[in-house]
Amino acid sequence: QVQLVQSGGGLVQSGGSLRLSCAASGDTVDNYSLAWFCQTPGEERKFVAAISRLGSVKTYADSVKGRFTIATESTENILTLQMDSVLSEDTAEYYCAANRAFHPVQTPRAYAYWGQGTQVTVAS
């Protein structure tokens, strides 16, 4: 089974950019559909972006369309989330996730494998 280890995150100014990474081990990212979720204290985990197996289909939450880009890099076996034009409301703990379905889904409970989480804080 796959293990996911996240890196990136931190403090960024509003309007700036940040890149999150999620390194896979134990299996290749091409065998999974992958997603990013975010969560703030007291709230449920929310869908941010997802990518199908082999990267043919990408979906985004309306709030991040045109600003965030999800991608996989097969040679490095990682999932990334490029966050541009960030807003204060993007502040959250971000999690990567994987499941074996071909098509990406937006429901957290559909994902069996999770990264450890990384905090993103946008300063206004």
Side-chain angles (χ1 to χ4, degrees):
Q1 65 184 36
V2 68
Q3 292 85 44
L4 303 174
V5 177
Q6 296 179 224
S7 60
L11 178 65
V12 61
Q13 293 294 316
S14 180
S17 296
L18 202 63
R19 183 175 183 258
L20 306 183
S21 294
C22 177
S25 61
D27 205 343
T28 173
V29 293
D30 289 342
N31 287 337
Y32 298 84
S33 60
L34 301 150
W36 290 96
F37 292 85
C38 68
Q39 189 171 24
T40 53
E43 299 291 327
E44 293 186 351
R45 205 161 286 189
K46 295 191 307 182
F47 171 75
V48 175
I51 186 168
S52 66
R53 286 174 63 179
L54 304 178
S56 57
V57 177
K58 298 179 183 181
T59 59
Y60 296 91
D62 288 343
S63 60
V64 307
K65 278 180 184 175
R67 300 189 298 119
F68 291 9
T69 303
I70 189 171
T72 53
E73 298 180 15
S74 297
T75 55
E76 298 186 28
N77 211 29
I78 64 171
L79 169 73
T80 63
L81 183 70
Q82 178 65 39
M83 306 169 67
D84 297 320
S85 303
V86 295
L87 306 170
S88 58
E89 48 261 47
D90 295 325
T91 295
E93 186 86 1
Y94 283 75
Y95 296 88
C96 61
N99 74 27
R100 289 197 172 272
F102 186 88
H103 292 289
V105 294
Q106 301 183 10
T107 306
R109 68 181 64 182
Y111 291 84
Y113 309 103
W114 290 87
Q116 80 278 18
T118 186
Q119 178 67 35
V120 171
T121 302
V122 180
S124 57

